[in-house]
Amino acid sequence: MTVTRFAPSPTGYLHVGNLRTALFNFMIARKNGGQFILRIDDTDPERSKEEYVDAIKEDLEWLGLTWDRLERQSSRLDRYAAAADRLRELGRFYECFETPTELDLKRKKQLNMGKPPVYDRSALRLSDAEKAALRAERAPHWRFKLDHERIEWKDGILGDVSIDAASVSDPVLIRGDGQVLYTLASVVDDTEMGVTHVVRGSDHVTNTATQIQIMQALGATPPEFAHHSLLTGPKGEALSKRLGTLALRDLRDAGIEPMALLSHMARLGSSDPIELRASVDELVEGFDLSHFGAAPTKFDVEDLKPLTARYVSSLSFDEMKDALAEAGVPDDIAPEFWEAVHENVETRKDVARWWALCRDGATPLIDEADREFVKTALAMLPEGPLDRDSWGKWTKAVKEATGRKGKGLFMPLRKALTGMERGPDMSRLLPLLQKLPKDV
Ligand code: GLU
């Protein structure tokens, strides 16, 4: 069975970059009738926060990305300890005593000499007596000893990848304070949870190389890996610093619709066109990982707006009922109101803007050259309740009285009644306007 996982660390809110990873894994599981695991990577007690765990769940639920199984790394520490013991037994785990400052100094020296900043394995050359002396001073951290050979895999997006293990530092898997690091925890989880496919950002390619060796050392078969490109801003600029402003909850607050966001993110960076889909199932149907490219993917938050507007416009009255009530639209005219404005709203909440116009009227927008014409026209507005035919009848009469036609007839009237040059069909809107200008 296909098993995938989305493994966020609860150290902040999910953003569009995380969503891309979540979606890929979600869709692979759904497309293959498999299982999608939400794994909370919370081995870092200082940076992990419960409020972010809740927020991650809430954001995924908002999008309809439901998980079949929830796992938390903080409840599996004994499993990681067992794996660490096994690596020790296998002679693939070694104690190191360098302080962060010492390591930093080593890296700088190597860089100055034009060498790659790869850990020099000096801890492997310590004698037992030296180790005992160092242990008395400070707690060791533990590194996995890579086999210096090429690590190769067929990547679901990048194709054939080959990394020389000698160009990579032996990864630290347990810190001096005993904290298990993500690389080991992830290997143990992916193996023990039967994960078959891992899709994550291309910033994890080196991790993947080391994780493949750790898995092999532990006697496990590595899953299929795929690394998606990272998002950039619309001009190709790095997005990493701005991701904080692209939190899913901020997009939600701005009125972006889940289906608009999902439709966009599920195809962005692929050779498939971005089309608004009505359901997650439809998106899953057309999803194909092999259609995604390795090049950085441009993301522009502005692109979510037209998709959102199209989605909201397509909603039925029943689907909009609550939003209309919330905006204060009276029940008896709500269906006609929605019919009048549905093509002109940008978000659900945007109905409030049109309702304010209907309820309060607008400040007329009048060009001096049109003032007399508008005066004449307003004086001709029929008395009493207006209906769908009122606009047609009224403008016909005004046309006959003034000789104006086409844009010269309709535009000044629209601007006088709505204060805007564009908006809903006037024959639908006019009967809903509760306050009409009497004179100008
Ligand atoms: N917690 C890791 C991260 O958020 C997970 C990476 C992975 O998918 O393995 O980067």
Side-chain angles (χ1 to χ4, degrees):
M1 183 173 62
T2 301
V3 180
T4 65
R5 60 14 172 229
F6 172 51
S9 308
T11 53
Y13 295 120
L14 294 183
H15 50 64
V16 285
N18 304 128
L19 173 59
R20 204 161 134 80
T21 313
L23 252 179
F24 283 125
N25 289 292
F26 173 84
M27 291 200 286
I28 291 172
R30 290 288 171 266
K31 192 156 182 173
N32 296 290
Q35 207 181 48
F36 176 62
I37 303 174
L38 171 60
R39 189 183 87 198
I40 304 293
D41 283 5
D42 56 353
T43 53
D44 183 341
E46 254 159 54
R47 295 183 59 227
S48 301
K49 299 245 159 23
E50 222 37 50
E51 65 174 286
Y52 293 128
V53 177
D54 295 341
I56 287 167
K57 292 187 201 163
E58 197 180 277
D59 290 348
L60 293 177
E61 274 164 0
W62 169 61
L63 291 165
L65 302 183
T66 46
W67 53 94
D68 307 302
R69 198 165 139 191
L70 179 73
E71 297 284 353
R72 292 188 67 146
Q73 291 195 325
S74 55
S75 62
R76 294 178 42 82
L77 299 179
D78 54 338
R79 305 301 312 153
Y80 312 142
D85 284 344
R86 180 87 194 105
L87 291 175
R88 273 184 206 107
E89 279 162 32
L90 291 165
R92 299 293 297 272
F93 220 25
Y94 64 99
E95 281 172 294
C96 302
F97 297 89
E98 292 91 347
T99 63
T101 321
E102 282 164 0
L103 288 174
D104 202 39
L105 216 75
K106 278 188 194 207
R107 269 193 294 269
K108 282 191 181 128
K109 264 195 201 152
Q110 286 168 312
L111 288 171
N112 278 342
M113 284 157 57
K115 287 191 186 162
V118 177
Y119 177 60
D120 62 7
R121 292 186 161 174
S122 49
L124 281 178
R125 294 185 289 274
L126 294 171
S127 67
D128 285 347
E130 284 169 320
K131 278 194 246 179
L134 282 163
R135 257 183 235 128
E137 263 175 51
R138 56 183 97 128
H141 56 274
W142 291 80
R143 287 186 192 259
F144 175 74
K145 187 162 171 267
L146 289 166
D147 272 341
H148 282 175
E149 57 190 24
R150 294 203 80 85
I151 305 168
E152 298 182 332
W153 73 92
K154 193 160 203 61
D155 193 283
I157 293 175
L158 304 177
D160 288 323
V161 180
S162 170
I163 289 181
D164 180 4
S167 70
V168 181
S169 295
D170 287 339
V172 176
L173 301 188
I174 297 185
R175 288 200 327 198
D177 62 3
Q179 191 187 311
V180 174
L181 292 180
Y182 145 80
T183 307
L184 177 61
S186 189
V187 158
V188 173
D189 291 345
D190 287 341
T191 305
E192 295 187 359
M193 294 173 192
V195 171
T196 57
H197 294 74
V198 171
V199 187
R200 53 190 174 196
S202 51
D203 49 340
H204 282 289
V205 167
T206 311
N207 278 341
T208 297
T210 61
Q211 290 184 358
I212 286 176
Q213 270 208 9
I214 302 169
M215 284 177 178
Q216 286 166 341
L218 291 169
T221 312
E224 304 270 330
F225 286 101
H227 296 83
H228 61 73
S229 63
L230 299 183
L231 296 179
T232 71
K235 295 195 191 78
E237 71 276 24
L239 204 58
S240 47
K241 286 206 191 77
R242 283 183 38 215
L243 281 173
T245 64
L246 294 170
L248 301 185
R249 51 195 43 224
D250 294 339
L251 297 178
R252 180 176 65 209
D253 289 348
I256 298 299
E257 288 289 326
M259 278 320 299
L261 184 55
L262 295 174
S263 299
H264 191 65
M265 298 310 289
R267 298 290 184 269
L268 189 70
S270 78
S271 52
D272 299 317
I274 294 175
E275 284 162 348
L276 181 65
R277 301 288 179 176
S279 69
V280 174
D281 289 348
E282 267 185 52
L283 278 176
V284 169
E285 218 169 278
F287 177 78
D288 191 333
L289 191 67
S290 68
H291 292 182
F292 286 81
T297 300
K298 288 188 177 140
F299 171 81
D300 189 346
V301 70
E302 291 301 314
D303 292 338
L304 299 173
K305 295 182 181 169
L307 284 175
T308 291
R310 286 236 317 279
Y311 181 82
V312 178
S313 299
S314 74
L315 294 175
S316 67
F317 167 68
D318 274 342
E319 288 166 316
M320 277 301 289
K321 219 170 167 177
D322 294 344
L324 292 165
E326 206 173 300
V329 183
D331 289 348
D332 55 335
I333 57 165
E336 287 80 21
F337 172 81
W338 179 237
E339 204 186 341
V341 305
H342 75 280
E343 284 177 350
N344 297 84
V345 293
E346 284 163 15
T347 64
R348 270 176 220 249
K349 283 190 194 145
D350 196 28
V351 287
R353 180 167 62 104
W354 294 108
W355 175 240
L357 167 70
C358 292
R359 188 191 55 215
D360 307 334
T363 308
L365 188 64
I366 296 169
D367 293 342
E368 262 331 293
D370 293 328
R371 190 165 296 276
E372 278 314 307
F373 162 71
V374 173
K375 260 181 186 298
T376 311
L378 289 180
M380 293 172 70
L381 258 175
E383 292 288 332
L386 301 174
D387 59 25
R388 276 284 171 82
D389 299 326
S390 305
W391 171 260
K393 286 186 194 152
W394 178 46
T395 51
K396 189 161 176 270
V398 173
K399 179 179 173 181
E400 277 159 16
T402 63
R404 286 219 192 192
K405 54 181 194 248
K407 211 176 162 201
L409 169 71
F410 299 116
M411 187 54 93
L413 299 181
R414 172 185 286 281
K415 281 161 56 177
L417 297 184
T418 69
M420 284 175 265
E421 289 188 356
R422 264 179 295 276
D425 173 25
M426 287 304 293
S427 28
R428 290 203 171 121
L429 191 63
L430 182 62
L432 297 164
L433 295 175
Q434 330 257 301
K435 276 197 189 139
L436 293 166
K438 289 277 170 279
D439 193 12
V440 287

